[in-house]
Amino acid sequence: MATWLKDAIFYEIYPQSFYDTNGDGIGDFNGITAKLDYIKSLGCNAIWMNPCFDSPFSDAGYDVRDYKKVAERYGTMEDIENLFAEAHKRDMHILLDLVPGHTSEEHAWFTESKKAEANEYTDRYMWTDGWLCGGAGLNYIAGETPRNAAYIVNFFKCQPALNYGVLNPTERWHKSMYDPACIATREAMKDVCRFWLDKGCDGFRVDMADSLVKHDDANKSGTVAVWQDILGDIHAEYPESAFVSEWGKAEQSIKAGFDMDFYLDWMGNGYNSLVRDYEAHLNAFASLPEYLDDSTENNSFFKADSKGTCDHFIDEYMGRYEQIKDKGAIALITGNHDTTRISYGLSEDELKLTYAFFLTMPGNPFIYYGDEIAMNFRSMASKEGGFTRTGSRTPMQWTSGTNMGFSSAPADKLYLPVDPAEDAANVEASEADQNSLLNTVKALTSLRHSQADLLDKSNLEIISRKPLVYKRGNLLLAVNPKNTDTQSRKLAELTGDAKVIYSIAINGTQPGIADGVITLPAQSFIVISC
């Protein structure tokens, strides 16, 4: 594992919405460079940047047209190389977003692959052997091409699936994972990794990392084997490179060779039960979550007036953590470009306790841009394949001035409209408010960086579930997110040497320890050195 990962706190940037320096209404590389000091001031020393490669942007850059070319909207190759260099001067690291499972229909590989005549790229993608043949759930023509075949898509129709093979081929058009064409796809992806690592990036967040081998088994053994090959070579050649998977099952992804895996926000899972429990009642993937109101059941654990517990999260998380804690890590996120903004269901006070938990758990935490100021979620028309996610991708709110400080462009030229509310959160106001969420985030990241026990990925013990008390080496941590009652518990770990080193008291009454008992007033958090 890359040594720098031990103390890394990540900040996710959606580049088109972060900071515009040339006045065209779209964020750019130079905008990220200009804000590196701000990101570092948050306590974040690493960045995950969403796709920045050349693309027609049918899916916000997740439809790559050229892996080795940057999108002109963000700047030049020199601009991104300067971004890498300026980050490294500040002892910061940058992960790019790798999309290995598919490309755009406009990629040069696909342009060749769809030709009727056989060529080097004929089998770079997954094709059926006839124009009405079904495959991978398809029973229709995926797209019209000169070939007498249909191509399998990996997500949207504009994203033909790259060919890594089928675990157990059963059709004439299925290829083994070890077919020369499938091996060539692996090698092409290694080549992309080498290209960008040589340019100065520090690794990759990998999109849909579990989607490579088709008709895979429940353990994803085919996809695991492919990644073991890819990452085995890249880690050997670039030992300080880091790879984070969008997989959601760490017991599989860590075995595949990834350094860490996201605990994804899947409707009804353990993570979802902490902060977005309302989604199950809205079917957020089908309906706009603008309908959340007082009649909507929100049982999120960190919702102060809910009856939600941490049980589902603890059971699911610990089941995976115990399998991987000595080999890799599970990354907790405040949110990302695919989720409804975390502030949609939680107040700033509730978010302070949520972030206190996320930033003191094992693994590397990820803060989505704007979540540190509780940027609002707004329902809006889909942009570049965003659909209901579009409202989580709006411009960063830097000041209360023109376009919230994001861009000097006319408002109608912005990538997405800024929050029109007069009291919309912004960085400038949050920095000036001692009690702001942003300043709480700074205090929490400072605490994390200062405590070696919080950087150890394998030392988590759950002591109690109500109140939620967990142990990290010689530190005891506890949170009571509810606003109704004081929670207390006698703990053998509370010896005479125990002392409080950090606390949050939303309602003004401080948590504390006395006579071996930890006491947590409503909506409080505490860190104890034992």
Side-chain angles (χ1 to χ4, degrees):
M1 178 180 289
T3 56
W4 60 268
L5 276 179
K6 182 173 183 179
D7 190 24
I9 299 175
F10 284 87
Y11 191 75
E12 180 192 348
I13 294 175
Y14 194 68
Q16 50 267 63
S17 291
F18 194 58
Y19 187 52
D20 169 25
T21 60
N22 63 2
D24 66 355
I26 298 177
D28 44 51
F29 296 136
N30 290 336
I32 299 172
T33 303
K35 296 297 185 180
L36 286 175
D37 289 336
Y38 165 74
I39 297 168
K40 189 72 180 285
S41 77
L42 287 178
C44 295
N45 53 9
I47 291 169
W48 157 30
M49 184 165 58
N50 291 123
C52 61
F53 307 140
D54 177 51
S55 169
F57 289 97
S58 295
D59 184 23
Y62 284 97
D63 48 327
V64 177
R65 183 163 50 200
D66 189 335
Y67 287 106
K68 296 182 179 181
K69 180 181 178 181
V70 297
E72 290 183 4
R73 59 161 51 168
Y74 301 135
T76 66
M77 186 65 77
E78 290 73 21
D79 291 334
I80 195 172
E81 288 179 304
N82 180 60
L83 171 57
F84 296 150
E86 289 297 321
H88 294 159
K89 287 179 184 178
R90 294 163 173 79
D91 197 25
M92 300 172 72
H93 297 81
I94 297 180
L95 301 184
L96 297 183
D97 212 324
L98 181 67
V99 187
H102 54 264
T103 70
S104 164
E105 292 172 308
E106 297 182 20
H107 196 291
W109 295 345
F110 190 73
T111 299
E112 293 299 310
S113 188
K114 70 182 182 181
K115 291 179 178 178
E117 303 80 14
N119 60 70
E120 177 184 356
Y121 298 98
T122 295
D123 295 319
R124 178 58 54 88
Y125 296 84
M126 297 199 72
W127 294 88
T128 66
D129 59 0
W131 63 289
L132 285 179
C133 293
L138 299 177
N139 58 4
Y140 55 88
I141 302 172
E144 296 177 4
T145 75
R147 289 181 65 164
N148 180 28
Y151 59 87
I152 305 303
V153 298
N154 208 40
F155 198 66
F156 290 129
K157 178 262 179 188
C158 64
Q159 296 163 328
L162 286 164
N163 192 5
Y164 294 89
V166 173
L167 181 63
N168 294 303
T170 58
E171 304 289 338
R172 289 184 305 174
W173 56 271
H174 287 172
K175 290 193 176 298
S176 160
M177 295 162 48
Y178 305 101
D179 185 275
C182 301
I183 297 296
T185 306
R186 298 190 207 179
E187 295 303 319
M189 207 49 57
K190 292 177 191 177
D191 181 57
V192 171
C193 291
R194 293 183 182 107
F195 177 86
W196 285 106
L197 290 166
D198 288 341
K199 289 289 184 184
C201 89
D202 300 289
F204 301 89
R205 173 268 189 184
V206 180
D207 180 67
M208 294 178 64
D210 63 337
S211 71
L212 303 192
V213 174
K214 305 308 181 187
H215 296 298
D216 214 343
D217 58 26
N219 295 319
K220 294 286 184 177
S221 60
T223 299
V224 166
V226 168
W227 279 117
Q228 286 174 337
D229 175 49
I230 295 173
L231 296 178
D233 283 357
I234 298 301
H235 274 139
E237 297 170 35
Y238 302 87
E240 285 297 296
S241 64
F243 285 78
V244 186
S245 58
E246 184 191 34
W247 196 303
K249 294 184 178 180
E251 68 276 15
Q252 297 175 357
S253 60
I254 301 303
K255 182 179 180 181
F258 284 92
D259 298 294
M260 73 182 91
D261 185 38
F262 284 125
Y263 196 171
L264 297 169
D265 179 42
W266 289 340
M267 194 180 299
N269 75 349
Y271 172 88
N272 190 263
S273 74
L274 294 181
V275 293
R276 294 183 182 85
D277 186 78
Y278 61 83
E279 288 185 341
H281 308 286
L282 291 174
N283 190 11
F285 291 109
S287 304
L288 294 176
E290 62 196 18
Y291 303 113
L292 181 62
D293 55 32
D294 292 339
S295 66
T296 304
E297 189 176 2
N298 184 352
N299 284 324
S300 302
F301 174 63
F302 282 102
K303 186 68 177 171
D305 60 357
S306 82
K307 296 179 181 178
T309 72
C310 63
D311 290 342
H312 186 18
F313 170 83
I314 296 299
D315 290 342
E316 189 173 73
Y317 178 91
M318 293 304 294
R320 294 200 161 109
Y321 174 77
E322 291 295 343
Q323 296 181 65
I324 60 90
K325 65 181 182 180
D326 296 319
K327 309 177 191 71
I330 299 171
L332 294 178
I333 61 173
T334 64
N336 65 25
H337 61 289
D338 286 332
T339 67
T340 303
R341 283 275 183 189
I342 193 170
S343 62
Y344 188 66
L346 300 175
S347 69
E348 286 198 39
D349 284 341
E350 291 164 340
L351 290 175
K352 289 178 181 179
L353 299 178
T354 305
Y355 294 173
F357 179 66
F358 286 172
L359 286 164
T360 55
M361 285 285 281
N364 301 94
F366 282 70
I367 298 171
Y368 185 45
Y369 83 96
D371 278 356
E372 73 274 20
I373 58 171
M375 269 180 60
N376 189 28
F377 174 88
R378 311 191 314 281
S379 178
M380 56 182 59
S382 179
K383 176 82 171 185
E384 296 183 349
F387 298 100
T388 59
R389 306 169 296 178
T390 303
S392 294
R393 301 175 177 185
T394 54
M396 180 64 174
Q397 296 160 197
W398 296 104
T399 71
S400 59
T402 302
N403 295 327
M404 303 297 289
F406 163 68
S407 171
S408 62
D412 64 351
K413 299 297 183 183
L414 299 185
Y415 174 74
L416 287 170
V418 298
D419 193 334
E422 290 186 7
D423 61 348
N426 66 80
V427 170
E428 186 176 59
S430 294
E431 288 182 328
D433 179 1
Q434 184 178 356
N435 296 315
S436 68
L437 176 62
L438 182 147
N439 281 318
T440 298
V441 169
K442 288 183 178 182
L444 287 164
T445 57
S446 178
L447 172 73
R448 184 180 182 91
H449 290 309
S450 71
Q451 300 294 321
D453 283 331
L454 295 180
L455 306 181
D456 185 336
K457 69 179 187 297
S458 61
N459 65 356
L460 174 67
E461 298 177 54
I462 302 299
I463 305 300
S464 165
R465 298 190 181 198
K466 186 176 180 181
L468 176 53
V469 182
Y470 50 108
K471 194 169 185 287
R472 303 290 313 281
N474 292 317
L475 297 179
L476 270 180
L477 306 97
V479 61
N480 174 12
K482 306 307 180 184
N483 62 5
T484 55
D485 61 347
T486 296
Q487 298 177 2
S488 61
R489 191 174 188 91
K490 188 173 183 63
L491 298 170
E493 292 84 357
L494 292 177
T495 64
D497 294 332
K499 63 178 180 179
V500 177
I501 62 172
Y502 182 80
S503 65
I504 297 174
I506 299 299
N507 295 315
T509 305
Q510 289 289 338
I513 53 175
D515 302 322
V517 175
I518 186 171
T519 301
L520 291 157
Q523 290 190 278
S524 64
F525 173 80
I526 193 171
V527 182
I528 304 157
S529 177
C530 298

